[in-house]
Amino acid sequence: MTIHASGSCDQCSLKVLCLPVGLPENELWQLDEIVQRRRPIPKGQVLFRMGAPFSSVFAVRTGSLKSVLLSDDGTEQVTGFTLAGELLGLDAINKGLHPVSAVALETTSICEIPFDKLDALAGQLPSLRQHFMRTMSREIASDESLLALLGQRSAEQRLAAFLLSLSMRFRARGLVADRFCLSMSRADIANHLGLTQETISRLFTQFRKQGLIEIHTRDLHLLEMDGLHRIAGIRFEPLSQTA
Amino acid sequence: MTIHASGSCDQCSLKVLCLPVGLPENELWQLDEIVQRRRPIPKGQVLFRMGAPFSSVFAVRTGSLKSVLLSDDGTEQVTGFTLAGELLGLDAINKGLHPVSAVALETTSICEIPFDKLDALAGQLPSLRQHFMRTMSREIASDESLLALLGQRSAEQRLAAFLLSLSMRFRARGLVADRFCLSMSRADIANHLGLTQETISRLFTQFRKQGLIEIHTRDLHLLEMDGLHRIAGIRFEPLSQTA
DNA sequence: GGTTTGCGATGATCCAGATCAGGGACGGCA
DNA sequence: TGCCGTCCCTGATCTGGATCATCGCAAACC
C-alpha cells in the first residue's frame, strides 16, 4: 500500500548522490525494482520510532528529518539531520532495532529499501556493495568529527562549523552553498550541538552583527564563508593529507 | 615482510567476536588466506596516521589502541578505544584516507586485512558480508550514544557510563566484567569524554569514597555496578524495545 | 641510596554557557 | 479580524567544570 507510482531511480535527480552512484544502466533497474516509493509524510510525523524493529533502510527524496535518541531519564539528543539524497537507518542493521527515532522536519518524501533484498543485491553488484560500504564509512567518519566538535569546541565554533557543514551538503546537491533555509528549529540545532536555544539565538545575532551572515527566521544567507571558517577553526572536506 | 607465522582465524580465541563470526569451516579458510598477521607493535607506536592512504582494515588480536583526530588548530580528540576482537579503520573506506590516527596503548598485535580482497570475499560469502555490515552499523550506533553522552551528560554521568561500557566490552570477550585494567591514561579518558584529567581524578576518588569502585593506578574493580548504572542514568546494551 | 621524571591528587580562582524570566513577532485558525 | 500558541529574542543571575599552581608518590635510572 505504501508503493507510490511516481518516479524511478533512473529519473531521480539525486541518483548521483544516493544508492545508484556508479551503477550502470543494466544494473540500475535491479535496484529500482526493490525500491518502494512512499507517499510524502507531513512535518512532525515519525518515520520510525526508537526501538522499533528494523527491516528497511530509507532514502530521502525531498525534505529532511532529524534523528533523536531518547535516554531512559527522558533527555533527548538530536544525533543528526538527514537531507535529500541521504540514507537513514544504517545504525539499525546491527541489532535489527532502530536505536533512534526519525522525525520529519517538513513535508518529506521517502524511498524505502528492504534490507534483505538490498543485501542480496549487494552480493551481486560490486559497485552497489562498495558504495553502500562507503556510505556507512562516511557516516562513521562524520560522527567522529562531530564528537571532536562536542568534545573540544566553544559554542561559536560549533555553530560556525555546523552552518558550514550544512552549506557543503547543500552544495553537493547542486544547490547554492551560501543561501538556504534551515528546516530545523533553534531548539533542534542547540540540542544537536550540545548547547541551549538561547545560546544559538545569541550567536546568530552575534554573527549577524559581525557581518558574517544574514538571517530572517529560518532563511539563512552566509555572507562571509571565510570568516565562518576562521571561527570554526576546522576544515572538514577535504581532510588534508597529513604527512 | 609484515606477515607473521603465528596463528590462524580458526584457532583464534576471538573468532566468535571478530570477522569470522558465523562463517562455516569451509568458508573460514578463504578469509584466513587473506589475513596478514603482523608482529606486535609496542606501546605508543602509531599503527596508521591520520591522512595516510587506506588499503586495509585491521583487527586487534591482543592489546588495545586509541583513535585520535587531530584538528587544524592542533587540538586532539580521542574518538575511541579499540579492544581485542574489534576492527579498526572502517571510517577510512569512504575517502580512502584515514580520518584518524591509531596509537597502541600497550604492546598490541594486529591482523591486517586488505580491503579489496575483503570486499571481493564479501561478494561471495553472505554471512561475511552481513557480519561486516553489522559491525559498521554497530560503530555508527555506538558513536550516536557517545554523542548523547557528550551533548547532554554531566562529568560523573559520562565517567560512569564509560566504565560500564568498558565493562560490557570485556564481558563480551569472556573476561570478568567487574575487574579489569585501564590501558589508557587519565588524560586519554578525559579527552575522550570531553573533560579534563583533573576532573577524572576527582571522580575516581569520589566513586571510591562512595564505595562504587576500587582503583589502584590502572587496576579497576567495579564494586557496585548498580550504583554506577544509577549515576550513568542510561542503559546501553541492550537497547530496550520502546513501544 | 639518592635523584629524576612523569603521572595522579587536590585546592583556589574564573569564565563560558546554563538557567530563569519576560516580552515580542509571526502564522494558523475560528 | 482577532485570538492563541509556537517560536524566537534578550537581559539578569548562577554554576559546573576549566584553568592554574602545587604537592605527593612511585617507578626508572644512575
Side-chain angles (χ1 to χ4, degrees):
Chain A
M1 300 302 104
T2 57
I3 298 175
H4 215 234
S6 72
S8 71
C9 290
D10 186 39
Q11 287 161 7
C12 183
S13 65
L14 292 166
K15 68 177 174 180
V16 294
L17 279 176
C18 191
L19 272 178
V21 168
L23 286 188
E25 190 83 22
N26 62 341
E27 293 179 356
L28 183 54
W29 69 268
Q30 295 186 70
L31 174 60
D32 218 343
E33 206 154 67
I34 65 171
V35 173
Q36 298 168 9
R37 286 159 192 89
R38 301 170 136 220
R39 69 164 43 84
I41 60 178
K43 174 176 175 172
Q45 188 157 315
V46 174
L47 176 62
F48 50 77
R49 206 171 289 277
M50 180 175 151
F54 161 81
S55 60
S56 301
V57 298
F58 299 94
V60 180
R61 247 187 317 163
T62 66
S64 53
L65 304 95
K66 62 175 171 179
S67 296
V68 183
L69 190 154
L70 183 65
S71 296
D72 287 359
D73 60 358
T75 62
E76 295 187 352
Q77 171 74 27
V78 174
T79 58
F81 301 104
T82 311
L83 308 185
E86 294 173 339
L87 296 182
L88 200 53
L90 302 177
D91 51 0
I93 295 170
N94 178 42
K95 301 202 169 184
L97 299 176
H98 286 286
V100 300
S101 301
V103 182
L105 295 171
E106 56 196 311
T107 305
T108 296
S109 53
I110 300 283
C111 296
E112 175 170 357
I113 304 120
F115 184 66
D116 51 354
K117 293 180 182 160
L118 180 61
D119 173 54
L121 206 53
Q124 294 164 39
L125 310 180
S127 51
L128 177 64
R129 177 175 69 245
Q130 284 154 23
H131 179 66
F132 190 68
M133 284 183 181
R134 272 197 299 275
T135 304
M136 299 196 84
S137 171
R138 180 173 53 227
E139 186 101 7
I140 297 171
S142 93
D143 282 351
E144 282 169 349
S145 45
L146 190 53
L147 285 180
L149 207 64
L150 294 199
Q152 308 265 305
R153 305 278 158 184
S154 70
E156 67 173 357
Q157 287 178 311
R158 296 184 201 192
L159 185 60
F162 174 71
L163 296 180
L164 290 171
S165 150
L166 269 187
S167 162
M168 282 182 304
R169 286 159 78 187
F170 281 111
R171 196 180 47 194
R173 276 153 193 78
L175 305 174
V176 292
D178 68 339
R179 198 186 274 276
F180 49 90
C181 177
L182 298 170
S183 58
M184 66 293 289
S185 71
R186 306 289 196 268
D188 287 333
I189 298 173
N191 181 302
H192 183 234
L193 298 178
L195 303 168
T196 56
Q197 210 173 351
E198 293 90 330
T199 300
I200 300 297
S201 279
R202 279 188 260 272
L203 285 173
F204 274 136
T205 309
Q206 177 192 321
F207 286 172
R208 181 164 46 199
K209 283 183 183 162
Q210 293 172 330
L212 297 169
I213 63 170
E214 256 178 29
I215 188 166
H216 304 99
T217 316
R218 292 184 173 197
D219 289 313
L220 181 63
H221 188 179
L222 305 184
L223 299 174
E224 290 211 40
M225 309 261 271
D226 290 352
L228 288 172
H229 267 114
R230 215 173 310 115
I231 289 177
I234 324 180
R235 185 173 21 261
F236 296 95
E237 316 264 328
L239 283 165
S240 59
Q241 177 131 2
T242 330
Chain B
M1 303 308 104
T2 58
I3 299 175
H4 213 234
S6 73
S8 72
C9 289
D10 186 39
Q11 288 161 7
C12 183
S13 65
L14 293 165
K15 68 177 174 181
V16 295
L17 279 176
C18 189
L19 272 179
V21 169
L23 285 190
E25 190 82 21
N26 62 341
E27 293 181 357
L28 183 54
W29 70 268
Q30 294 184 68
L31 175 60
D32 217 343
E33 205 154 66
I34 65 171
V35 173
Q36 297 168 5
R37 288 163 189 87
R38 302 170 133 219
R39 68 163 45 85
I41 59 176
K43 173 175 176 173
Q45 187 159 319
V46 174
L47 176 61
F48 50 77
R49 206 170 289 277
M50 179 174 152
F54 161 80
S55 60
S56 302
V57 298
F58 298 94
V60 180
R61 248 186 317 160
T62 65
S64 54
L65 304 96
K66 62 174 173 180
S67 296
V68 183
L69 190 156
L70 183 66
S71 295
D72 287 358
D73 62 356
T75 62
E76 296 187 352
Q77 172 74 26
V78 174
T79 59
F81 301 104
T82 311
L83 308 185
E86 295 174 340
L87 295 182
L88 201 52
L90 301 177
D91 51 1
I93 295 171
N94 178 43
K95 301 201 170 182
L97 298 176
H98 285 286
V100 299
S101 300
V103 182
L105 295 172
E106 55 195 314
T107 305
T108 296
S109 54
I110 300 284
C111 295
E112 174 170 358
I113 305 121
F115 184 67
D116 52 354
K117 294 180 183 162
L118 180 61
D119 172 56
L121 206 52
Q124 295 163 38
L125 310 180
S127 51
L128 177 63
R129 176 175 69 247
Q130 284 154 24
H131 180 66
F132 190 68
M133 283 182 180
R134 273 198 298 277
T135 303
M136 299 196 83
S137 171
R138 179 173 55 228
E139 186 100 7
I140 297 172
S142 90
D143 281 351
E144 281 170 349
S145 44
L146 191 52
L147 285 180
L149 208 63
L150 293 198
Q152 307 264 301
R153 304 279 159 183
S154 70
E156 68 172 358
Q157 287 177 311
R158 295 183 202 193
L159 184 60
F162 174 71
L163 296 181
L164 290 169
S165 147
L166 267 188
S167 162
M168 282 181 304
R169 287 159 79 188
F170 281 111
R171 198 180 46 196
R173 274 150 195 80
L175 305 174
V176 291
D178 67 339
R179 196 187 276 277
F180 48 89
C181 176
L182 299 169
S183 58
M184 65 293 287
S185 71
R186 306 291 197 267
D188 288 334
I189 298 173
N191 180 302
H192 182 235
L193 298 178
L195 302 169
T196 55
Q197 206 175 352
E198 294 90 329
T199 301
I200 300 297
S201 279
R202 280 188 262 275
L203 286 173
F204 273 137
T205 308
Q206 177 192 321
F207 286 173
R208 183 162 48 194
K209 284 183 182 161
Q210 293 173 327
L212 297 169
I213 63 168
E214 256 179 27
I215 188 167
H216 303 100
T217 316
R218 293 183 172 194
D219 289 313
L220 180 64
H221 189 180
L222 305 183
L223 299 172
E224 289 211 41
M225 309 261 272
D226 291 353
L228 288 172
H229 268 113
R230 217 174 309 116
I231 290 178
I234 323 177
R235 187 173 16 262
F236 295 93
E237 316 265 325
L239 282 167
S240 59
Q241 177 130 2
T242 332

